[in-house]
Amino acid sequence: MDQIIREKIKLVKKGDQSAYEDVVSFFQNKIYQHCFRMLGNAHEAEDIAQEAFIRAYVNIHSFDDKRKFSTWLYRIATNLTIDRIRKRKPDYYLDAEVKGTDGLDMYSQLASKDRLPGEEVESIELQRYIHQEISGLPPKYRSIIMLRYLEEFSLQEISDILDIPLGTVKTRIHRGREALRKRLRHV
Amino acid sequence: MNCNKEAVELMHKYLDGDLSKPEETELRVHLEDCEACQTHFHELKRTITLIHSAEQISAPKNFTENVMQQLPAEKKRMRYSRWFKAHPILTAAAIFFVFMISGVFSAWNQDSELVVSKQEDLIIQGDTVIVPEGVTVEGDLLVKNGNLIVNGTVDGNVTLINGKLLEESIESEGLMASVGEVNGELKMVDQVFEWIWYKTKDLFKGIFAF
């Protein structure tokens, strides 16, 4: 897959816009999910995820072919989400607090899995709970935990994505794990 | 070993895959003795398993389309070249068509010059060829893309291509006393050429307007 993406990016660099469509459709779920977890809100997530893809396209010439495109794309997306969190108006937090009431929206975002109805509800409840607990972490820990365990990047790659030293990544992932351990120990 | 600091530090190193052999042994020995650390370690591993099971979210429908629509317009050159690559036969046909048409067009342009067969004593005024009064032209006379006025005599066949035989001189001062003579066959290929000419012109108008 990496090779295919690499080829597509070469075409995009030559000016072939249609090649970018495959790139977007390949990464859309990952990037959208990443934004959704960072922002905790479907509308903002869509907004920022789109923005990330557009920025990546516009700045495609500053992308170094020797590096991984996914790392670069996540970096753009992560920076945009962090910017958005910083720019949020204080009154926005009141909205964010009542995330539970937004349940319907989140349900509609769930990937369907065929299971028994009871089991399904239970498992969705748990998944949502975990998702909320991850969202409850401070952004700097949240992004690292997500990149490591949900998007399966190596610590070195995370250091590239977030542009912070490897040591800092390690410190933060330790703290993030500890924080989540405390939140999830009674599950 | 200090449970809160060293042991937990080793656990995290283990989870990051950074643990050396001696440290691993150290941690294992400690875990065997310390129940609190066992629980802690177990909770950490379980946390990671739980994170893995967090809900999977997919992007909204039409996400890709929306992104593609918002991208800045690509260069036209690229769009054309992609179209050409996608339709090689049409492209070949188009190129052939252009060459063919331009060939016909240039042939017509050349043909629109006045051509007169070489004979002495002919007077050429603009696109009108005049056989003056009292002059006898020997041999066949060919006039292409011009009109002919015969006031004298032509001793041979007359071929008129894309032109007319005029009965009067251009000055047209009254009637001419004697209309010239043609001692041979008079052939006018006029209409056929006119017809082709108009058809071609129409075709061109159509193409360029399009």
Side-chain angles (χ1 to χ4, degrees):
Chain A
M1 201 63 221
D2 266 7
Q3 195 50 43
I4 296 172
I5 293 296
R6 218 174 277 273
E7 292 301 320
K8 294 285 177 194
I9 294 298
K10 266 186 203 162
L11 288 176
V12 176
K13 277 195 168 182
K14 281 181 195 155
D16 185 351
Q17 197 171 76
S18 70
Y20 195 58
E21 192 160 355
D22 300 328
V23 177
V24 177
S25 70
F26 181 71
F27 285 110
Q28 60 173 352
N29 288 337
K30 293 175 176 204
I31 292 296
Y32 176 78
Q33 176 165 286
H34 182 72
C35 295
F36 187 86
R37 290 216 170 88
M38 286 298 283
L39 299 162
N41 162 309
H43 181 72
E44 275 188 310
E46 185 174 357
D47 211 30
I48 294 295
Q50 280 189 9
E51 178 71 23
F53 280 111
I54 292 166
R55 289 229 182 157
Y57 178 81
V58 172
N59 298 310
I60 195 75
H61 290 285
S62 66
F63 168 66
D64 178 3
D65 289 327
K66 291 177 204 102
R67 299 179 60 191
K68 259 174 98 176
F69 181 74
S70 59
T71 316
W72 192 67
L73 187 59
Y74 270 96
R75 182 174 182 166
I76 295 173
T78 310
N79 288 343
L80 285 172
T81 54
I82 289 170
D83 275 359
R84 176 58 69 94
I85 292 169
R86 276 195 201 125
K87 277 182 200 157
R88 273 179 182 165
K89 288 170 191 162
D91 64 355
Y92 193 82
Y93 288 116
L94 292 174
D95 289 347
E97 286 295 309
V98 284
K99 241 181 269 155
T101 55
D102 208 12
L104 254 181
D105 275 357
M106 287 189 29
Y107 265 113
S108 63
Q109 304 292 342
L110 291 174
S112 69
K113 290 192 181 77
D114 298 319
R115 284 193 206 156
L116 293 172
E119 197 184 335
E120 194 179 331
V121 169
E122 226 170 71
S123 124
I124 286 173
E125 288 283 306
L126 178 62
Q127 288 181 350
R128 264 179 63 199
Y129 181 74
I130 294 164
H131 167 79
Q132 279 179 19
E133 291 304 316
I134 297 174
S135 305
L137 290 175
K140 60 179 180 179
Y141 299 139
R142 198 195 313 164
S143 55
I144 291 183
I145 291 285
M146 279 164 33
L147 290 170
R148 180 74 190 94
Y149 292 113
L150 293 169
E151 280 127 43
E152 311 279 333
F153 282 107
S154 71
L155 294 179
Q156 184 55 55
E157 282 170 331
I158 295 172
S159 146
D160 288 343
I161 291 172
L162 300 174
D163 202 19
I164 50 177
L166 187 59
T168 314
V169 175
K170 284 182 181 172
T171 314
R172 288 192 187 168
I173 202 168
H174 294 186
R175 293 197 183 140
R177 272 195 299 245
E178 282 299 330
L180 268 183
R181 180 184 70 86
K182 281 172 194 148
R183 284 160 175 266
L184 294 175
R185 75 199 319 175
H186 54 272
V187 172
Chain B
M1 188 187 283
N2 184 335
C3 290
N4 282 334
K5 272 205 152 181
E6 288 172 56
V8 172
E9 186 63 28
L10 286 180
M11 286 177 209
H12 283 290
K13 275 180 110 176
Y14 170 83
L15 293 173
D16 290 339
D18 286 346
L19 210 57
S20 65
K21 272 280 164 194
E23 285 172 324
E24 202 180 320
T25 320
E26 201 183 329
L27 179 63
R28 199 183 317 126
V29 169
H30 177 75
L31 285 177
E32 277 166 14
D33 295 340
C34 178
E35 212 164 296
C37 281
Q38 266 180 39
T39 316
H40 193 119
F41 193 48
H42 174 73
E43 279 173 0
L44 276 176
K45 288 211 272 190
R46 187 157 170 276
T47 302
I48 291 166
T49 316
L50 284 173
I51 301 171
H52 279 302
S53 72
E55 60 178 336
Q56 292 294 308
I57 302 159
S58 13
K61 275 183 189 170
N62 302 327
F63 182 87
T64 305
E65 286 83 347
N66 289 340
V67 170
M68 293 310 288
Q69 272 169 19
Q70 287 179 53
L71 293 184
E74 72 178 329
K75 285 172 193 142
K76 274 187 184 166
R77 190 173 55 83
M78 204 59 210
R79 209 158 45 207
Y80 290 144
S81 76
R82 191 169 55 238
W83 190 90
F84 287 143
K85 270 180 207 160
H87 306 89
I89 294 173
L90 274 178
T91 308
I95 291 171
F96 173 77
F97 192 67
V98 165
F99 277 122
M100 196 191 71
I101 289 295
S102 61
V104 169
F105 190 63
S106 61
W108 266 112
N109 268 350
Q110 280 174 0
D111 268 6
S112 66
E113 283 162 30
L114 176 68
V115 179
V116 185
S117 56
K118 260 195 176 170
Q119 267 116 355
E120 285 177 11
D121 305 323
L122 289 176
I123 298 171
I124 298 171
Q125 284 183 350
D127 59 350
T128 308
V129 179
I130 302 171
V131 183
E133 237 180 304
V135 171
T136 306
V137 175
E138 304 273 339
D140 295 345
L141 180 64
L142 172 83
V143 177
K144 204 168 164 188
N145 301 314
N147 299 326
L148 178 68
I149 297 170
V150 183
N151 294 331
T153 316
V154 179
D155 230 0
N157 295 333
V158 172
T159 311
L160 268 170
I161 300 173
N162 206 16
K164 281 179 194 149
L165 181 70
L166 300 179
E167 297 289 320
E168 291 172 9
S169 70
I170 291 177
E171 290 85 21
S172 70
E173 299 153 344
L175 283 168
M176 302 297 290
S178 70
V179 172
E181 250 184 290
V182 176
N183 304 325
E185 208 180 314
L186 178 67
K187 206 160 64 179
M188 287 167 78
V189 207
D190 189 30
Q191 283 186 335
V192 180
F193 272 82
E194 232 167 38
W195 184 78
I196 294 175
W197 178 235
Y198 272 108
K199 279 289 163 192
T200 318
K201 268 211 293 206
D202 275 356
L203 186 67
F204 267 96
K205 269 181 200 163
I207 289 169
F208 287 118
F210 178 70

